[in-house]
């Protein structure tokens, strides 16, 4: 059997220190295989986004084991976290676009982490992925001139442009109408199955549950079924 793309064992996580410490995650264990689509559900405040940020190497895990694409992130240095992040595509609940850059420039900027790409290659790849998410006529628009759904599609294009080895998505369809949301999740499903890119998606959207290979549920910082 292939090594899991994500392997989490007995992961705890807390914010703060001493008397102010608040534990968010409790003894979380989870494996995600190459090409697998896993949906993470649960009420607000249950720890879903915290878990996503740890898997995404946005902060270092404090205890237990968290291996992502061959990188052990528990106790990882800043340099090790950056190396892991280069392999991961993120789709945030808030689109997090830079207002002073056009849609294409926002996507191109995500490719600057990849010094092997020339400026022309970054531009071409950004244009291609924006075409793929239906924004071919909006490439040179600034975010304030885009609808909420269009901004989210730019954010999704930005996540996919670098051809990541893992996609982490936090409510990616929340701002999208049904048709656009289905287009996006079908694109993600194709990426997972054709390129073996696993996807972990936090969602409350019952319209997309059918794309999952597996649904895991979190309550009060614990995975209650998987």
């Amino acid at each position: 059997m292939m090594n899991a793309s994500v392997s989490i064992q007995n992961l705890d996580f807390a914010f703060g220190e001493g008397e102010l410490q608040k534990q968010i995650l409790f003894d979380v264990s989870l494996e995600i295989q190459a090409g697998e689509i896993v949906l993470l559900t649960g009420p607000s405040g249950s720890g879903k986004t915290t878990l996503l940020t740890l898997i995404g190497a946005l902060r270092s895990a404090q205890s237990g084991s968290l291996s992502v694409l061959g990188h052990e992130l528990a106790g990882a240095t800043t340099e090790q976290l950056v190396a892991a992040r280069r392999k991961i595509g993120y789709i945030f609940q808030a689109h997090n676009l830079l207002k002073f850059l056009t849609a294409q420039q926002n996507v191109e900027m995500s490719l600057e982490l990849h010094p092997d790409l020339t400026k022309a290659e970054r531009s071409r790849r950004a244009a291609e992925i924006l075409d793929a998410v239906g924004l071919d006529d909006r490439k040179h628009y600034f975010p304030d001139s885009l609808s909420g759904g269009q901004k989210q599609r730019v954010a999704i294009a930005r996540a996919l442009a670098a051809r990541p080895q893992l996609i982490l998505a936090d409510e990616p369809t929340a701002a999208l109408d049904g048709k656009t949301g289905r287009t996006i999740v079908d694109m993600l499903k194709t990426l997972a199955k054709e390129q073996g890119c696993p996807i972990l998606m936090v969602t409350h959207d019952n319209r997309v549950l059918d794309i999952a290979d597996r649904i895991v549920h979190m309550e009060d910082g614990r995975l209650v079924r998987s």
Side-chain angles (χ1 to χ4, degrees), residues 2-218:
M2 292 176 60
N3 291 334
S5 296
V6 176
S7 180
I8 306 170
Q9 301 295 328
N10 311 116
L11 181 69
D12 296 323
F13 187 79
F15 289 113
E17 296 181 356
E19 293 182 358
L20 297 176
Q21 187 177 80
K22 177 176 174 57
Q23 190 163 347
I24 306 297
L25 300 178
F26 299 82
D27 196 31
V28 172
S29 295
L30 175 69
E31 290 202 344
I32 302 173
Q33 306 298 328
E36 189 176 22
I37 300 175
V38 178
L39 301 189
L40 179 59
T41 64
S44 296
S46 59
K48 303 183 303 298
T49 296
T50 298
L51 179 59
L52 213 65
T53 61
L54 288 167
I55 295 171
L58 296 176
R59 52 169 60 99
S60 181
Q62 300 160 333
S63 67
S65 175
L66 173 55
S67 176
V68 177
L69 302 172
H71 298 265
E72 176 55 60
L73 301 185
T77 65
T78 299
E79 291 77 14
Q80 290 168 331
L81 292 174
V82 170
R85 285 201 294 267
R86 287 196 176 102
K87 301 179 180 179
I88 300 170
Y90 305 89
I91 305 169
F92 296 101
Q93 187 171 7
H95 45 74
N96 292 349
L97 300 180
L98 294 175
K99 291 186 176 183
F100 55 87
L101 298 179
T102 65
Q104 174 141 342
Q105 289 168 337
N106 266 283
V107 176
E108 284 184 34
M109 193 182 70
S110 71
L111 296 171
E112 290 179 2
L113 278 173
H114 300 270
D116 53 313
L117 296 176
T118 65
K119 188 176 189 320
E121 287 170 329
R122 291 199 300 270
S123 179
R124 178 183 57 77
R125 194 180 290 188
E128 286 177 354
I129 196 68
L130 285 167
D131 287 351
V133 298
L135 291 176
D136 51 313
D137 60 343
R138 296 287 189 274
K139 292 189 193 74
H140 304 300
Y141 282 50
F142 290 93
D144 284 348
S145 299
L146 299 174
S147 69
Q150 288 168 340
K151 291 175 187 175
Q152 187 66 336
R153 280 191 272 174
V154 176
I156 290 166
R158 180 179 58 191
L160 299 182
R163 298 171 188 164
Q165 297 176 40
L166 170 67
I167 291 283
L168 300 175
D170 192 356
E171 297 277 9
T173 62
L176 304 178
D177 61 69
K179 181 179 179 182
T180 304
R182 172 51 55 180
T183 298
I184 294 303
V185 297
D186 285 345
M187 183 185 304
L188 292 174
K189 184 174 183 179
T190 298
L191 182 77
K193 301 311 174 188
E194 292 185 357
Q195 299 183 26
C197 179
I199 296 170
L200 176 62
M201 181 188 302
V202 171
T203 189
H204 292 103
D205 189 348
N206 291 331
R207 300 171 301 178
V208 305
L209 298 183
D210 61 298
I211 73 160
D213 295 305
R214 188 156 45 105
I215 299 173
V216 296
H217 188 75
M218 179 169 272

